[in-house]
């Protein structure tokens, strides 16, 4: 195993915990940036180009018939082929968090429709599901099994927001383990079926899953309900006859305690687990080899990489599988230094040999550390969030460059700002006030000066007034600036001109109108 530090000449503010990497025929693509995409790369998908230990992100393109793919963090992803003999590889993406902290329940299928030496064009389609549709979630797994010439998606685990009936003011944005149900998803017909297996008693998230033919192995994971990382090892086998599918689960010995581990495949029958956490306050520094032979699984420790002091002493780490036995890792920078990077990045190569691309085993894991919005100290710490200046990418090729000026400062434009001196909107205690609100407060734009956003509730706006302002084009001024706006817009008082009454005008003249006949008579009289 070899560990190399990756030099990022232009700081990359897009790479934050929760991202995913996808490998299409040896080319790696980045997905899941934090924040909404900007005009420099509206798709939010980048070519993850690492050459000579230097990383560059190049915006990717989508075909015109593609659906919109939002940036999703902590989704479940897996590779998919219509059959084991098929050469066309697709990626399945389910769930995850949007930049608004909303959870997705949609399934997207990504495939390459055009590829040349300099540019790859993707096609993204959204799959509509019927039946037992899995609820929106993150930190789960999705795999594809093959049996009797058929294929089926298998979804398990994850976390979701608590039901609205169970939410309280103090824990409005709290999450809970999803029920330990196994979902079979038919990608061809869009049908989903839920199965309850007695061996699966507790919900799990951020576990590791390995799919091989008709079998899925589930290792480790984190249970929020019990706040433990049990040494789980489950084998789920799916049989796809002409009738209804048959699903059974077996509990196997020899499991390991790990959450947020990163799984990469080194050859047809071997895998390596890197990173993750084994206890609430302890990173997992050891690595494990997983061998699959003759429908058996064997897990053993392997030689530990020569971790750098920065990696050893960091409290958190995150990363993703680049494919071909390579793992991309990131750790926080040293804030004590006068000039420091927000993150340091490394590339861990777990094998010197190339991986056979025609293997029949597909790997999946929740390849970034847990969600920073929950409570566990390291996996769910606010330390994951950072803000850094990023310069534009090198423009020596034909790809569009990413410009940091296109990014908005989320601390100023987010929903959880302090909009005014009397603002009391807090992300931990906020509850919906208007009927149009769901999981974020309603805001309205104040047109004073350069403009700024304020919470409608802090402005004491009635719901009818808020809807009227949102539908119209009139400018709005917040309570703090409305008096200033009135002073600027009120014109100076001008005294009206005095007009003499009509009677006085008539006294100065005849007060009568002369007809042409009278004018002729007077002219002859004076002549």
């Amino acid at each position: 195993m070899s560990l190399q530090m990756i030099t990022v000449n232009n700081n990359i503010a897009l790479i934050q915990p929760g991202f995913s990497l996808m490998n299409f025929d040896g080319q790696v693509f980045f997905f899941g940036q934090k924040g909404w995409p900007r005009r420099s790369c509206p798709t939010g998908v980048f070519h993850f180009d690492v050459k000579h230990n230097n990383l560059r992100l190049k915006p990717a393109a989508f075909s015109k018939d593609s659906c919109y793919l939002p940036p999703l963090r902590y989704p479940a992803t897996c590779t998919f082929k219509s059959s084991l003999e098929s050469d066309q590889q697709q990626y399945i993406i389910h769930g995850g968090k949007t930049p608004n902290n909303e959870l997705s329940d949609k399934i997207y299928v990504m495939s390459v429709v055009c590829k040349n030496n300099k540019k790859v064009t993707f096609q993204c389609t959204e799959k509509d599901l019927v039946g037992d549709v899995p609820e929106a979630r993150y930190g789960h797994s999705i795999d594809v099994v093959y049996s009797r010439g058929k294929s089926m998606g298998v979804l398990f685990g994850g976390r979701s927001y608590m039901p609205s009936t169970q939410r309280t003011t103090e824990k409005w944005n709290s999450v809970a383990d999803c029920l330990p149900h196994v979902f079979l998803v038919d990608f061809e017909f869009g049908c989903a079926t839920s199965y309850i297996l007695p061996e699966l008693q507790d919900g799990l998230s951020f576990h590791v899953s390995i799919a091989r033919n008709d079998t899925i192995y589930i290792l480790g994971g984190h249970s929020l309900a019990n706040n433990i990382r049990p040494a789980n090892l489950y084998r789920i086998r799916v049989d796809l006859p002409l009738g209804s599918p048959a699903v059974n689960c077996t509990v196997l010995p020899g499991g390991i305690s790990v959450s947020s581990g990163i799984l990469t495949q080194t050859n047809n029958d071997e895998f390596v687990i890197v990173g993750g956490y084994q206890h609430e306050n302890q990173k997992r520094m050891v690595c494990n080899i997983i061998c699959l032979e003759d429908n058996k699984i064997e897990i053993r420790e392997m030689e530990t990489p020569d971790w750098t002091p920065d990696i050893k002493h960091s409290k958190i780490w995150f990363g993703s599988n680049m494919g071909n036995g390579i793992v991309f890792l990131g750790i926080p920078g040293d804030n004590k230094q006068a000039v420091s990077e927000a993150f340091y990045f490394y590339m861990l190569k777990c094998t010197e040999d190339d991986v056979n691309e025609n293997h029949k085993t597909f790997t999946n894991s929740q390849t970034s550390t847990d969600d920073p919005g929950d409570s566990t100290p390291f996996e769910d710490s606010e330390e994951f969030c950072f803000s850094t200046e990023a310069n534009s990418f090198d423009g020596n090729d034909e790809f569009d460059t990413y410009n940091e000026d296109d990014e908005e400062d989320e601390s100023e434009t987010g929903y959880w700002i302090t909009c005014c001196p009397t603002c009391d909107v807090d992300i931990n205690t906020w509850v919906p006030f208007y009927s149009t609100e769901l999981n974020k407060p309603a805001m309205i734009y104040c047109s004073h000066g350069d403009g700024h956003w304020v919470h409608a509730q802090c402005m004491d706006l009635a719901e009818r007034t808020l809807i009227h302002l949102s539908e119209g084009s009139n400018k709005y001024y917040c309570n703090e600036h409305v008096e200033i706006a009135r002073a600027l817009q009120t014109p100076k008082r001008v005294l009206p001109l005095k007009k003499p009454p009509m009677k006085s005008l008539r006294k100065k003249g005849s007060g009568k109108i002369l007809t042409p006949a009278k004018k002729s008579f007077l002219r002859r009289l004076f002549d």
Side-chain angles (χ1 to χ4, degrees):
M1 302 179 73
S2 61
L3 181 67
Q4 297 175 336
M5 189 170 186
I6 301 300
T7 301
V8 185
N9 296 328
N10 299 322
N11 295 334
I12 304 177
L14 299 179
I15 304 179
Q16 297 201 20
F19 73 92
S20 304
L21 296 179
M22 299 176 287
N23 190 312
F24 285 91
D25 297 328
Q27 286 188 294
V28 182
F29 292 87
F30 170 88
F31 168 70
Q33 69 178 60
K34 185 171 184 180
W36 292 106
R38 305 303 174 192
R39 60 180 178 272
S40 55
C41 183
T43 65
V45 177
F46 295 83
H47 181 205
F48 203 76
D49 189 16
V50 180
K51 293 181 180 178
H52 307 294
N53 297 335
N54 289 280
L55 172 63
R56 297 172 63 198
L57 295 185
K58 302 176 181 179
F62 280 74
S63 60
K64 294 182 179 179
D65 57 347
S66 294
C67 69
Y68 175 66
L69 177 66
L72 299 168
R73 294 184 300 131
Y74 313 104
T77 63
C78 71
T79 56
F80 170 68
K81 296 181 179 180
S82 57
S83 65
L84 287 173
E85 293 76 19
S86 176
D87 294 332
Q88 184 181 9
Q89 175 180 298
Q90 299 174 317
Y91 263 85
I92 306 294
I93 302 172
H94 177 267
K97 282 189 172 184
T98 69
N100 290 345
N101 241 17
E102 299 171 343
L103 299 185
S104 171
D105 61 351
K106 300 182 182 299
I107 287 184
Y108 300 94
V109 180
M110 279 189 62
S111 58
V112 175
V113 294
C114 181
K115 181 179 180 181
N116 53 40
N117 294 332
K118 290 188 175 182
K119 193 172 184 180
V120 173
T121 302
F122 290 102
Q123 181 187 47
C124 181
T125 57
E126 180 183 338
K127 289 289 185 180
D128 295 326
L129 296 181
V130 295
D132 302 329
V133 180
E135 65 177 321
R137 61 187 69 197
Y138 71 101
H140 55 301
S141 64
I142 188 169
D143 303 88
V144 179
V145 294
Y146 300 89
S147 172
R148 303 175 187 263
K150 302 178 183 178
S151 62
M152 189 74 67
V154 182
L155 189 148
F156 174 74
R159 298 175 182 174
S160 182
Y161 288 125
M162 297 178 63
S164 57
T165 56
Q166 300 179 13
R167 288 184 175 183
T168 61
T169 303
E170 294 77 13
K171 298 181 179 180
W172 185 258
N173 293 312
S174 298
V175 295
D177 295 320
C178 296
L179 294 176
H181 296 173
V182 175
F183 294 86
L184 295 189
V185 181
D186 190 328
F187 297 120
E188 182 179 0
F189 299 102
C191 301
T193 308
S194 173
Y195 292 83
I196 301 177
L197 305 178
E199 293 80 6
L200 301 174
Q201 295 294 327
D202 299 320
L204 292 173
S205 57
F206 296 97
H207 52 276
V208 175
S209 64
I210 306 174
R212 183 184 181 96
N213 296 330
D214 63 349
T215 304
I216 295 176
Y217 297 94
I218 296 178
L219 296 84
H222 182 216
S223 173
L224 269 181
N226 304 317
N227 195 22
I228 58 174
R229 293 163 180 80
N232 293 325
L233 178 55
Y234 300 106
R235 180 179 63 199
I236 300 177
R237 186 162 290 166
V238 181
D239 188 17
L240 302 175
L242 292 177
S244 300
V247 183
N248 63 77
C249 179
T250 305
V251 181
L252 302 178
I256 56 176
S257 176
V258 59
S259 66
S260 300
I262 305 172
L263 186 73
T264 185
Q265 186 166 5
T266 53
N267 60 46
N268 286 349
D269 301 318
E270 286 189 357
F271 306 83
V272 175
I273 295 181
V274 179
Y277 302 86
Q278 60 184 9
H279 298 296
E280 184 173 354
N281 298 329
Q282 185 177 356
K283 299 199 317 292
R284 191 174 185 275
M285 306 301 297
V286 300
C287 300
N288 291 89
I289 293 180
I290 301 176
C291 298
L292 298 179
E293 292 182 0
D294 301 327
N295 295 325
K296 296 181 180 179
I297 182 171
E298 178 186 0
I299 304 175
R300 64 177 186 270
E301 287 192 12
M302 63 181 299
E303 182 182 357
T304 303
D306 187 14
W307 300 118
T308 64
D310 291 332
I311 294 179
K312 291 180 180 179
H313 295 108
S314 68
K315 293 183 178 181
I316 62 173
W317 54 358
F318 64 98
S320 187
N321 174 29
M322 297 180 64
N324 299 333
I326 302 176
V327 172
F328 184 79
L329 294 171
I331 62 171
D334 187 2
N335 295 327
K336 296 180 180 179
Q337 298 181 9
V339 179
S340 64
E341 299 291 341
F343 275 81
Y344 297 138
F345 298 106
Y346 298 85
M347 193 168 64
L348 178 65
K349 191 173 184 181
C350 300
T351 179
E352 299 296 333
D353 300 325
D354 293 333
V355 178
N356 184 3
E357 296 294 336
N358 297 322
H359 55 72
K360 296 184 179 181
T361 309
F362 305 94
T363 67
N364 297 290
S365 61
Q366 289 64 50
T367 51
S368 295
T369 53
D370 289 5
D371 172 43
D374 301 327
S375 59
T376 52
F378 292 158
E379 298 175 19
D380 306 327
S381 172
E382 290 294 340
E383 295 177 51
F384 289 141
C385 303
F386 71 98
S387 176
T388 182
E389 296 294 331
N391 300 321
S392 59
F393 293 94
D394 296 336
N396 299 329
D397 50 26
E398 296 181 1
F399 291 95
D400 296 332
T401 57
Y402 172 80
N403 186 2
E404 176 66 14
D405 293 336
D406 295 334
E407 298 291 341
E408 294 182 3
D409 185 356
E410 294 185 357
S411 63
E412 296 180 3
T413 60
Y415 289 94
W416 310 108
I417 61 174
T418 302
C419 67
C420 62
T422 59
C423 177
D424 58 355
V425 174
D426 186 275
I427 189 173
N428 298 314
T429 60
W430 176 84
V431 294
F433 180 77
Y434 300 100
S435 62
T436 56
E437 295 175 328
L438 182 60
N439 54 14
K440 54 183 180 292
M443 303 192 75
I444 189 168
Y445 189 78
C446 174
S447 300
H448 175 73
D450 294 333
H452 63 97
W453 290 91
V454 292
H455 300 114
Q457 185 176 353
C458 297
M459 299 296 107
D460 297 326
L461 290 178
E463 183 167 342
R464 185 176 179 179
T465 304
L466 177 62
I467 296 175
H468 173 73
L469 291 172
S470 62
E471 293 176 349
S473 58
N474 296 328
K475 292 184 177 181
Y476 172 78
Y477 294 90
C478 67
N479 297 341
E480 186 178 357
H481 299 129
V482 64
E483 296 297 335
I484 300 177
R486 288 174 179 172
L488 293 175
Q489 294 180 355
T490 303
K492 295 182 178 180
R493 185 177 180 181
V494 179
L495 296 176
L497 296 175
K498 292 184 178 181
K499 297 182 180 180
M502 295 298 296
K503 292 184 178 180
S504 62
L505 291 175
R506 288 183 179 180
K507 289 180 180 179
K508 294 181 181 180
S510 63
K512 297 181 180 180
I513 300 176
L514 296 178
T515 63
K518 290 183 178 181
K519 290 182 180 180
S520 178
F521 173 76
L522 293 174
R523 190 178 298 112
R524 291 196 301 269
L525 180 63
F526 288 102
D527 289 342

